[in-house]
Amino acid sequence: MMKNQLIRAFQRGDEWAFRKVYEQFFSPLCIYAVKYVRDASEAQDIVQDVFAALWLQHDNFSNYYTIRSFLYISVRNRSLNLLKKNLLANEKMIHVQQNTLSEAQESEMVIETEVERRLMAAIESLPTECRRVLVLSIEGKSYQEIGELLHIAINTVKNHRIRAVKKLREMML
């Protein structure tokens, strides 16, 4: 059968003409789609969808080349759309995972902040001399430096620090 007769029958909506076009292009279009989507099943789905769209528009095609162009362009576009959709889905999944990590980090920060708050409150409740010695110790000062700053003996510094740490342990448990 000549291409012109096939096209006229296709435009009229004759199923046998559609079947001929389908048989001629289905396999090559699947191979073409696989080059984009890398999955034979996805490629077949894309090609099936394109043929469904072709059938709905059968009366719009005036020649064999417009049908062929429509098929290849539609398969390419749908393949690219699927890739974009999958890429967006992957980006969303990565974003969710990053937010989950951020939420975990945020939880850690809340816990750390709460521990610091409780520790600071406990330090503030220490007797004045114990608190002053402990704060200077936390700042990295040596026993001798603390003693010189507070005008007290090194053994007194050690005793205040020991008492402060002991009371903090009791309060924090």
Side-chain angles (χ1 to χ4, degrees):
M1 171 173 275
M2 302 210 32
K3 286 184 183 178
N4 290 338
Q5 289 175 322
L6 177 67
I7 296 305
R8 282 193 296 274
F10 185 84
Q11 284 179 317
R12 288 190 308 266
D14 289 348
E15 287 185 32
W16 67 268
F18 179 79
R19 193 172 304 118
K20 286 285 188 193
V21 171
Y22 182 88
E23 289 169 358
Q24 183 176 1
F25 287 103
F26 182 78
S27 292
L29 287 171
C30 285
I31 292 168
Y32 182 66
V34 164
K35 290 179 182 178
Y36 286 100
V37 298
R38 306 273 187 234
D39 181 274
S41 175
E42 290 282 356
Q44 287 178 352
D45 289 346
I46 289 169
V47 173
Q48 292 287 0
D49 290 345
V50 167
F51 272 106
L54 177 70
W55 178 248
L56 292 174
Q57 301 176 42
H58 64 84
D59 55 343
N60 293 335
F61 296 94
S62 59
N63 63 54
Y64 174 83
Y65 300 105
T66 58
I67 293 172
R68 186 179 74 183
S69 294
F70 173 83
L71 290 171
Y72 278 95
I73 290 169
S74 295
V75 166
R76 182 194 68 215
N77 290 344
R78 288 178 189 238
S79 296
L80 292 174
N81 286 342
L82 179 66
L83 291 174
K84 286 178 192 173
K85 179 181 158 190
N86 290 343
L87 181 61
L88 288 174
N90 287 341
E91 287 175 359
K92 285 180 183 176
M93 188 182 328
I94 289 168
H95 181 71
V96 166
Q97 289 171 345
Q98 287 173 340
N99 284 344
T100 302
L101 289 177
S102 295
E103 288 171 11
Q105 291 170 342
E106 187 175 323
S107 293
E108 286 179 23
M109 286 177 21
V110 167
I111 291 169
E112 285 176 12
T113 303
E114 182 61 21
V115 168
E116 287 175 9
R117 184 193 65 75
R118 286 185 59 207
L119 182 59
M120 294 307 294
I123 289 172
E124 288 299 316
S125 71
L126 291 172
T128 305
E129 289 301 315
C130 289
R131 181 179 61 241
R132 290 173 64 192
V133 167
L134 184 64
V135 169
L136 291 170
S137 179
I138 290 171
E139 290 174 0
K141 305 255 188 262
S142 68
Y143 289 146
Q144 184 166 344
E145 292 171 318
I146 295 170
E148 290 172 4
L149 285 170
L150 300 179
H151 306 291
I152 55 176
I154 292 176
N155 281 337
T156 305
V157 171
K158 288 180 186 178
N159 288 334
H160 283 309
R161 188 177 182 286
I162 290 169
R163 263 188 276 148
V165 170
K166 182 178 177 186
K167 286 185 182 205
L168 284 178
R169 281 187 183 141
E170 291 170 2
M171 286 187 258
M172 295 301 287
L173 292 178

